[in-house]
Amino acid sequence: MATARSADLAGFAPTLLSADELDRSRQFRVAADRDRFFAAHGLKRRLLGLLLDAPGAQLRFERQWAGKPQLVGRELHFNLSHSGDWVVLAISRSAPVGVDIEQGDSALPEGMLSLALHPDDRLAPEPDSLVDRFYTAWSLKEAVSKGVGIGLALPFTQLRLEPSAPTQYRCRHGDELWHAEHRKLEGGAHLAVACLAAWKRLRLLRIEHGI
């Protein structure tokens, strides 16, 4: 899994992106939002290209029935997320993966906690505040839902978090058992990754000056 600040990926040229990705970038009216899009998808193409020993600009993607992107003709699972000035890419060679990063506010909008929690959720360690409790649960469940391929269409109140170790969780969706982990980054951003297969070691790569 790789994390980066958008500013550190400013050197990624839009020429890495496909025609479809460039079309999608034109929906952003604010230059900062468009730059974050370029950074996220440039990181995706550069890192996947390095792992596959292929030019990143030549990688082809398609969307599953619910919209989750996947590589065409390659046995490599990935998922992408960005929030604020953070970009994160999760990669797994063994099973579907989902990732979420939330650079949240210091105040929690009324009613949001009830949208994130299952009555039997357990978090370990227990967050110090309701805001951290919300973003911990939300990021973990969004990582699971993105791994499933449904995203925000999956009600988070149907997902129950069960600790398996400090910062690590099991979460069931139907007959599937997802394995998830939560980290808190500098500046307070909440990062979570979920995989359908249990990993022996989660490697976190911080990219600070491009790749």
Side-chain angles (χ1 to χ4, degrees), residues 64-111:
Q64 300 175 353
W65 64 271
K68 183 181 180 183
Q70 63 183 11
L71 277 162
V72 175
R74 306 279 188 168
E75 291 298 323
L76 195 65
H77 304 274
F78 76 93
N79 199 231
L80 184 67
S81 181
H82 52 87
S83 177
D85 58 352
W86 283 103
V87 176
V88 59
L89 174 70
I91 301 170
S92 171
R93 292 189 181 275
S94 60
V97 65
V99 70
D100 184 51
I101 190 163
E102 299 289 341
Q103 188 171 307
D105 298 326
S106 57
L108 189 64
E110 185 176 356

Side-chain angles (χ1 to χ4, degrees), residues 26-147:
R26 296 187 182 100
Q27 68 182 299
F28 298 105
R29 302 303 180 188
V30 179
D33 294 335
R34 189 164 54 251
D35 290 344
R36 277 190 288 270
F37 181 90
F38 288 151
H41 290 274
L43 176 67
K44 172 192 72 177
R45 288 184 171 275
R46 183 65 62 85
L47 277 184
L48 292 176
L50 287 173
L51 287 172
L52 295 168
D53 193 24
Q58 294 181 16
L59 296 178
R60 294 190 302 119
F61 301 88
E62 62 184 5
R63 292 187 175 274
Q64 300 175 353
W65 64 271
K68 183 181 180 183
Q70 63 183 11
L71 277 162
V72 175
R74 306 279 188 168
E75 291 298 323
L76 195 65
H77 304 274
F78 76 93
N79 199 231
L80 184 67
S81 181
H82 52 87
S83 177
D85 58 352
W86 283 103
V87 176
V88 59
L89 174 70
I91 301 170
S92 171
R93 292 189 181 275
S94 60
V97 65
V99 70
D100 184 51
I101 190 163
E102 299 289 341
Q103 188 171 307
D105 298 326
S106 57
L108 189 64
E110 185 176 356
M112 289 299 292
L113 198 62
S114 64
L115 298 177
L117 296 181
H118 183 283
D120 297 324
D121 274 339
R122 292 191 294 123
L123 303 179
E126 183 66 30
D128 294 330
S129 67
L130 287 179
V131 172
D132 278 344
R133 182 174 177 79
F134 168 78
Y135 282 111
T136 299
W138 184 276
S139 60
L140 284 162
K141 294 184 180 187
E142 185 160 350
V144 171
S145 66
K146 289 177 67 179

Side-chain angles (χ1 to χ4, degrees), residues 148-167:
V148 171
I150 301 177
L152 295 178
L154 175 60
F156 289 176
T157 53
Q158 296 180 7
L159 300 175
R160 182 172 65 87
L161 298 171
E162 177 186 357
S164 55
T167 74

Side-chain angles (χ1 to χ4, degrees), residues 123-210:
L123 303 179
E126 183 66 30
D128 294 330
S129 67
L130 287 179
V131 172
D132 278 344
R133 182 174 177 79
F134 168 78
Y135 282 111
T136 299
W138 184 276
S139 60
L140 284 162
K141 294 184 180 187
E142 185 160 350
V144 171
S145 66
K146 289 177 67 179
V148 171
I150 301 177
L152 295 178
L154 175 60
F156 289 176
T157 53
Q158 296 180 7
L159 300 175
R160 182 172 65 87
L161 298 171
E162 177 186 357
S164 55
T167 74
Q168 297 180 9
Y169 298 85
R170 291 185 292 263
C171 183
R172 291 194 176 277
H173 174 259
D175 295 331
E176 297 176 342
L177 178 61
W178 287 82
H179 304 267
E181 184 162 344
H182 172 268
R183 304 278 182 93
K184 196 169 182 182
L185 305 180
E186 66 264 28
H190 289 260
L191 170 64
V193 59
C195 188
L196 196 50
W199 52 75
K200 294 181 179 179
R201 182 170 65 94
L202 177 64
R203 182 181 179 188
L204 182 60
L205 174 66
R206 175 65 188 278
I207 298 173
E208 295 184 341
H209 302 292

